[in-house]
Amino acid sequence: MEKIIVLDFGGQYNQLIARRVRDLGVYSEVWPFSSPLSSLDDPSIVGIIFTGGPRSCYEETSPRVDKGIYDLGKPILGICYGAQLIAFQNGGHVEAIPEREYGNRTIEIDGTSPLFSGLEQNQDVFMSHGDQIASLGQGFRVTASSSTCPIASYEDQKKRIYGVQFHPEVEHSVHGQDMLARFVLGICNASPTWKPEDFLSAKIEEARAIIGDKQVLCALSGGVDSAVVAALLSKAVGKRLTCVFVDHGLLRKNEAEQVKKTFGAMDLRLIAVDAKREFYDALAGVTEPEAKRKIIGKKFIDVFSKEEQKLQGTGEFYLAQGTIYPDRIESGLGIAAKIKSHHNVGGLPKDMDFLGLVEPLKDLFKDEVRALGRLLGLPEDIVSRQPFPGPGLGIRIVGEVTEERVLIVQEADAIFQEELKAAGIRPSQYFAALSNMRSVGVKGDERSYEEAVVLRAVDTDDFMTASPTEIPYEVLFKASRRIVNEVKGVNRVLYDVTSKPPSTIELE
Ligand code: XMP
């Protein structure tokens, strides 16, 4: 299979570059910059991209490549640090600039470069660099510049080596993807024949090779990542996959049934543990948010460990996790094969006795995971579901968690979801929660003193910041009317219009 190798020099966007190449229909993997030359000299590798990175290439200890790479005859594209390194290792000069350049810039391109053919002369691109190329070695020529960056791109067409100081892989570079397409499909002449199906079969094969004749255990949360891992592993090793689904009683309406039905129909062992009572008992009387989170996390581990211990003796197990690429960025790229601490619910204990970890989705972005889920035939309800926190409704019920209050949130949430769906509105995350407020109302001719439901809907790309979704008033009004009419124990509905920060998305 033809592929483009992305050599990682520590930049933030390394996986994003590989993902952009895959979007063009060409398979791409990220490899460490120190990969041996011999491994790169493989006929299936039709091009190499050097990523950006935080270092300065002229420092003694900066990440460098064997110069033999430039004689492999393969097209190379350097991005940011990658472009500087190529220039530096080929007779050019790189130096620090007085002030770091960061943000959108307009560059003027030379349309005769194959990297830019057919594009307009002025291009908006994204720059982020503290060094820049001052001069190029023999054989290279400048192909783009800006008022602040005289060598914004360069090339040696004969050797098929290209460099760009800007980041074509990020969306702020308006025609960045077109430039990558010109490199991958034009200069490298790769055929756009790779499909996510191929990735799926490769991952299935890889999981089979790792697991061998052993078994694998997967904690199913009902979320999309663990669901896709389970479906993939079920295809890979069938009944040697055991899924443990802990129903902590803090799931959305019908969620437990849906998970049991979907995975019960697959060729795997499903252990569904009804631990509702245990969780509700442990949470009784507790109102402090952090204490609630800790109790839920600990209980989850207790229940999961108990199941794991029961399984010991039935064979040796690998542990499968639905880690995806953004999870690894969040944990500072602690890629080491250990159980990560920010698992859905509080982290699994490190002393569990597993042969190792299986993480088939670790290089993928969420939408790629969803695409795999669809290929695996998972129901759309699971595949397209919005993020749901590990502690579940526990952190959407301000104050004490009781079975009765869980029911109220589940029903109100289902109504809100239905109404948004009917109106064709799809915020990044949206749900109902319970404030810790009771207030006076009038129902029929009677005074009522009942709960207030909070509706929350936010738009965000990264979930680090978020803005409240501007839901049309009629939609909010209809949801509110239905909630007070259909959900027992509620006489008031509020819409949360705060941004994050200063609020958070969840109420606790
Ligand atoms: P906040 O409330 O911090 O949430 O603005 C940001 C995003 O993270 C999700 N979230 C969690 N996810 N375990 C998770 O798996 C958690 O403990 C947790 N707390 C918050 C939240 O739903 C939102 O998408």
Side-chain angles (χ1 to χ4, degrees):
M1 175 173 48
E2 279 184 347
K3 55 175 171 277
I4 299 278
I5 295 304
V6 174
L7 281 190
D8 178 9
F9 290 91
Q12 286 179 60
Y13 304 122
N14 46 22
Q15 284 293 346
L16 184 60
I17 299 169
R19 192 256 150 87
R20 295 279 182 244
V21 176
R22 294 196 292 266
D23 284 346
L24 292 167
V26 177
Y27 186 60
S28 180
E29 280 177 14
V30 178
W31 288 13
F33 73 89
S34 52
S35 304
L37 198 55
S38 55
S39 62
L40 290 163
D41 191 15
D42 181 301
S44 69
I45 298 174
V46 296
I48 302 170
I49 299 179
F50 292 9
T51 72
R55 304 286 302 274
S56 290
C57 63
Y58 43 79
E59 287 167 359
E60 277 291 306
T61 55
S62 61
R64 302 211 182 141
V65 285
D66 185 325
K67 280 175 149 187
I69 199 168
Y70 304 115
D71 298 319
L72 289 178
K74 296 191 192 288
I76 297 177
L77 171 66
I79 295 176
C80 196
Y81 176 90
Q84 294 164 8
L85 181 69
I86 296 172
F88 178 76
Q89 289 189 310
N90 288 277
H93 189 68
V94 174
E95 58 189 22
I97 44 177
E99 217 172 291
R100 208 184 148 71
E101 180 161 46
Y102 183 87
N104 289 14
R105 297 286 183 276
T106 303
I107 56 166
E108 209 171 300
I109 57 161
D110 174 345
T112 64
S113 167
L115 203 57
F116 303 133
S117 60
L119 296 180
E120 279 179 25
Q121 196 173 18
N122 287 329
Q123 290 291 321
D124 288 338
V125 297
F126 179 76
M127 296 270 193
S128 170
H129 59 119
D131 284 344
Q132 77 186 18
I133 302 160
S135 67
L136 295 166
Q138 235 188 349
F140 289 90
R141 71 175 194 111
V142 180
T143 54
S145 54
S146 75
S147 53
T148 47
C149 183
I151 307 183
S153 76
Y154 63 79
E155 68 183 18
D156 178 338
Q157 272 193 40
K158 241 202 257 138
K159 287 187 108 175
R160 297 193 293 172
I161 297 178
Y162 297 78
V164 291
Q165 180 57 72
F166 55 89
H167 288 272
E169 70 278 20
V170 303
E171 279 175 14
H172 301 293
S173 293
V174 179
H175 289 287
Q177 184 67 351
D178 295 326
M179 297 171 191
L180 286 176
R182 281 160 178 71
F183 177 71
V184 171
L185 307 176
I187 296 161
C188 301
N189 198 22
S191 351
T193 50
W194 179 81
K195 301 179 294 303
E197 286 90 322
D198 301 333
F199 180 83
L200 186 58
S201 356
K203 286 293 156 189
I204 290 174
E205 279 313 312
E206 199 179 296
R208 265 188 205 135
I210 296 174
I211 298 161
D213 59 358
K214 307 290 192 227
Q215 309 211 38
V216 60
L217 188 67
C218 179
L220 259 188
S221 67
V224 60
D225 303 337
S226 64
V228 171
V229 166
L232 187 152
L233 292 177
S234 154
K235 284 240 167 17
V237 298
K239 288 213 157 46
R240 281 183 292 118
L241 165 66
T242 302
C243 288
V244 177
F245 169 61
V246 178
D247 179 358
H248 51 22
L250 303 167
L251 297 166
R252 287 164 288 192
K253 187 178 177 185
N254 297 332
E255 190 164 10
E257 289 66 31
Q258 188 192 31
V259 168
K260 284 188 269 186
K261 188 169 154 225
T262 305
F263 291 91
M266 285 186 193
D267 180 29
L268 50 80
R269 248 197 307 179
L270 174 67
I271 301 175
V273 191
D274 181 352
K276 289 200 231 23
R277 206 53 289 140
E278 252 181 84
F279 277 79
Y280 294 153
D281 287 349
L283 286 166
V286 185
T287 55
E288 205 279 312
E290 275 307 297
K292 281 160 69 178
R293 276 178 175 270
K294 286 198 181 113
I295 290 169
I296 297 168
K298 173 155 187 324
K299 259 279 140 256
F300 180 87
I301 291 166
D302 289 349
V303 176
F304 189 80
S305 303
K306 228 187 281 165
E307 296 306 318
E308 190 241 349
Q309 272 155 25
K310 280 191 221 158
L311 285 165
Q312 295 294 338
T314 64
E316 287 178 294
F317 281 84
Y318 281 88
L319 177 69
Q321 293 214 133
T323 317
I324 66 170
Y325 183 65
D327 296 337
R328 296 200 293 142
I329 302 185
E330 274 158 33
S331 40
L333 273 181
I335 318 177
K338 69 178 172 101
I339 296 163
K340 62 174 185 160
S341 52
H342 77 280
H343 173 266
N344 256 357
V345 187
L348 295 174
K350 296 186 173 57
D351 54 3
M352 281 189 189
D353 209 6
F354 289 109
L355 294 168
L357 269 187
V358 182
E359 298 179 298
L361 312 179
K362 70 179 170 35
D363 293 333
L364 299 186
F365 290 80
K366 196 78 165 190
D367 55 338
E368 293 182 298
V369 173
R370 293 192 206 277
L372 282 196
R374 290 190 182 101
L375 281 177
L376 283 158
L378 284 175
E380 193 56 34
D381 273 0
I382 288 190
V383 168
S384 61
R385 90 178 1 171
Q386 51 170 321
F388 186 62
L393 301 182
I395 57 171
R396 292 183 181 170
I397 295 177
V398 181
E400 188 182 4
V401 176
T402 62
E403 195 167 358
E404 198 187 9
R405 299 188 84 206
V406 168
L407 262 177
I408 293 178
V409 183
Q410 284 178 334
E411 293 300 327
D413 187 66
I415 292 172
F416 189 40
Q417 308 243 3
E418 271 171 36
E419 290 307 323
L420 286 191
K421 195 171 171 187
I425 302 168
R426 182 69 212 242
S428 311
Q429 198 166 358
Y430 49 104
F431 52 85
L434 265 192
S435 71
N436 204 18
M437 177 178 112
R438 274 162 194 265
S439 64
V440 174
V442 51
K443 274 192 174 172
D445 289 331
E446 302 268 326
R447 173 189 193 267
S448 67
Y449 186 58
E450 293 177 321
E451 300 261 15
V453 160
V454 177
L455 301 180
R456 180 95 168 118
V458 292
D459 293 309
T460 172
D461 284 329
D462 57 10
F463 295 88
M464 310 289 282
T465 59
S467 343
T469 307
E470 287 187 37
I471 298 177
Y473 180 72
E474 318 80 75
V475 179
L476 281 175
F477 186 55
K478 183 160 178 223
S480 149
R481 215 174 43 220
R482 281 194 59 198
I483 290 169
V484 286
N485 282 328
E486 295 172 33
V487 186
K488 226 173 122 225
V490 182
N491 67 357
R492 200 172 290 269
V493 177
L494 312 169
Y495 185 54
D496 182 346
V497 286
T498 33
S499 295
K500 172 184 179 178
S503 270
T504 54
I505 296 174
E506 303 292 346
L507 268 64
E508 289 191 339

XYZ file of all heavy atoms in Angstrom, residues 293 342-346 387-392 395-396 429 431 462-464 466 500 503-508, ligand 1:
241
model
N -17.689 12.967 42.482
C -16.840 12.440 41.405
C -15.958 11.307 41.913
O -15.786 10.284 41.265
C -15.928 13.545 40.864
C -16.581 14.413 39.828
C -15.604 15.505 39.402
N -16.153 16.289 38.313
C -15.991 16.012 37.019
N -15.272 14.975 36.644
N -16.545 16.756 36.089
N -6.546 9.610 32.975
C -7.833 10.261 32.770
C -8.817 9.363 32.006
O -9.482 9.775 31.085
C -7.694 11.652 32.174
C -7.400 11.719 30.711
N -6.158 11.548 30.199
C -8.223 11.948 29.659
C -6.208 11.685 28.891
N -7.458 11.918 28.525
N -8.861 8.102 32.401
C -9.874 7.204 31.866
C -11.235 7.770 32.223
O -11.386 8.514 33.195
C -9.685 5.803 32.449
C -10.780 4.868 32.066
N -11.862 4.663 32.862
C -10.966 4.130 30.962
C -12.678 3.817 32.250
N -12.156 3.491 31.104
N -12.215 7.387 31.402
C -13.586 7.854 31.594
C -14.002 8.099 33.029
O -14.511 9.123 33.376
C -14.540 6.808 31.034
C -15.086 7.282 29.706
O -14.782 8.381 29.284
N -15.883 6.467 29.076
N -13.831 7.101 33.862
C -14.216 7.284 35.255
C -13.001 7.063 36.128
O -12.703 5.958 36.531
C -15.334 6.318 35.676
C -15.817 6.658 37.070
C -16.492 6.382 34.712
N -12.276 8.126 36.355
C -11.281 8.103 37.422
C -10.006 7.309 37.188
O -9.097 7.386 37.991
N -20.351 13.925 23.318
C -19.561 13.469 24.468
C -20.428 13.338 25.719
O -21.345 14.137 25.927
C -18.528 14.572 24.665
C -18.652 15.508 23.535
C -19.896 15.211 22.790
N -20.137 12.333 26.501
C -20.876 12.133 27.751
C -19.834 11.845 28.825
O -18.989 10.968 28.646
C -21.837 10.945 27.592
C -22.749 10.733 28.773
C -23.658 11.716 29.150
C -22.702 9.554 29.504
C -24.506 11.529 30.225
C -23.549 9.359 30.585
C -24.450 10.345 30.949
N -19.848 12.586 29.919
C -18.767 12.429 30.900
C -18.849 11.084 31.624
O -19.951 10.565 31.837
C -19.018 13.582 31.869
C -20.469 13.881 31.752
C -20.850 13.586 30.325
N -17.680 10.560 31.975
C -17.636 9.290 32.699
C -18.539 9.262 33.927
O -19.294 8.296 34.128
N -18.519 10.302 34.778
C -19.380 10.257 35.969
C -20.861 10.450 35.643
O -21.704 10.475 36.537
C -18.870 11.420 36.830
C -17.560 11.820 36.252
C -17.604 11.460 34.806
N -21.150 10.603 34.355
C -22.538 10.606 33.892
C -23.413 11.658 34.532
O -22.980 12.772 34.845
N -22.811 14.263 37.639
C -22.314 15.644 37.686
C -23.271 16.608 36.985
O -22.949 17.767 36.737
C -20.881 15.758 37.118
C -20.782 15.235 35.680
C -19.899 15.019 38.008
C -19.434 15.526 35.023
N -24.461 16.080 36.639
C -25.505 16.965 36.080
C -26.658 17.108 37.071
O -27.720 17.617 36.729
C -26.034 16.400 34.756
C -24.981 16.469 33.687
C -25.438 15.994 32.351
N -24.317 16.091 31.415
C -24.317 15.581 30.198
N -25.381 14.930 29.748
N -23.267 15.716 29.428
N -22.594 20.070 22.338
C -23.028 19.261 23.490
C -24.298 19.885 24.052
O -24.405 21.117 24.113
C -21.926 19.227 24.550
C -22.098 18.097 25.538
C -20.851 17.845 26.393
O -19.822 18.493 26.234
N -20.954 16.905 27.294
N -27.758 19.105 26.910
C -28.329 18.169 27.873
C -29.214 18.903 28.866
O -29.229 20.136 28.913
C -27.212 17.428 28.622
C -26.174 18.325 29.249
C -26.374 18.879 30.520
C -24.997 18.648 28.582
C -25.430 19.704 31.108
C -24.041 19.479 29.161
C -24.261 20.007 30.431
N -13.162 22.623 20.790
C -12.164 21.929 21.607
C -12.647 21.611 23.018
O -11.926 21.006 23.793
C -10.877 22.766 21.670
C -11.148 24.172 22.211
O -12.265 24.426 22.703
O -10.234 25.011 22.149
N -13.826 22.039 23.386
C -14.407 21.801 24.711
C -13.634 22.479 25.848
O -13.950 22.292 27.016
C -14.590 20.289 24.992
C -15.593 19.668 24.042
C -15.210 19.167 22.813
C -16.937 19.635 24.374
C -16.137 18.644 21.918
C -17.885 19.119 23.490
C -17.479 18.618 22.264
N -12.619 23.265 25.482
C -11.867 24.003 26.502
C -12.535 25.358 26.731
O -12.512 25.915 27.817
C -10.414 24.271 26.063
C -9.685 23.056 25.551
S -9.326 21.916 26.861
C -7.940 22.748 27.592
N -16.271 27.435 25.359
C -17.548 27.108 24.713
C -18.484 28.299 24.825
O -18.397 29.089 25.768
C -18.173 25.883 25.388
N -18.168 29.223 28.629
C -17.041 28.657 29.368
C -15.788 29.321 28.829
O -15.572 29.235 27.612
C -16.961 27.153 29.138
C -15.683 26.535 29.722
C -15.558 25.066 29.414
C -14.257 24.534 30.002
N -14.073 23.097 29.797
N -18.029 29.757 33.245
C -18.694 28.504 33.642
C -17.906 27.331 33.101
O -16.975 27.518 32.313
C -20.074 28.444 32.990
O -21.017 29.016 33.812
N -18.309 26.134 33.452
C -17.835 24.956 32.728
C -19.037 24.423 31.962
O -20.154 24.907 32.135
C -17.289 23.877 33.677
O -18.293 23.592 34.642
C -16.026 24.328 34.346
N -18.803 23.435 31.121
C -19.922 22.885 30.342
C -20.846 22.119 31.290
O -22.054 22.353 31.339
C -19.404 21.995 29.195
C -18.600 22.851 28.215
C -20.581 21.304 28.495
C -17.909 22.086 27.112
N -20.274 21.198 32.039
C -21.064 20.463 33.022
C -21.331 21.374 34.218
O -20.608 22.344 34.448
C -20.304 19.213 33.488
C -19.904 18.261 32.363
C -21.078 17.573 31.700
O -22.199 17.606 32.259
O -20.891 17.004 30.620
N -22.354 20.997 35.010
C -22.663 21.858 36.165
C -21.741 21.586 37.358
O -21.637 22.395 38.268
C -24.137 21.691 36.575
C -25.077 22.709 35.905
C -25.121 22.525 34.402
C -26.461 22.662 36.483
N -21.114 20.396 37.357
C -20.192 20.111 38.466
C -18.885 19.569 37.930
O -18.859 18.936 36.877
C -20.813 19.067 39.404
C -21.967 19.633 40.209
C -22.404 18.697 41.326
O -22.115 17.490 41.242
O -23.025 19.183 42.270
P -16.301 20.886 31.552
O -17.489 20.645 32.400
O -15.010 20.757 32.292
O -16.301 19.713 30.467
O -16.377 22.175 30.796
C -15.526 19.689 29.297
C -15.855 18.412 28.552
O -15.398 17.283 29.290
C -16.469 16.434 29.641
N -16.220 15.981 31.018
C -15.779 14.759 31.336
N -15.512 13.676 30.559
N -14.927 12.436 32.493
C -15.104 12.511 31.143
O -14.902 11.505 30.455
C -15.155 13.471 33.324
O -14.996 13.353 34.530
C -15.622 14.685 32.717
N -15.964 15.897 33.214
C -16.331 16.677 32.154
C -17.720 17.286 29.510
O -18.869 16.491 29.246
C -17.344 18.183 28.355
O -17.530 17.511 27.116
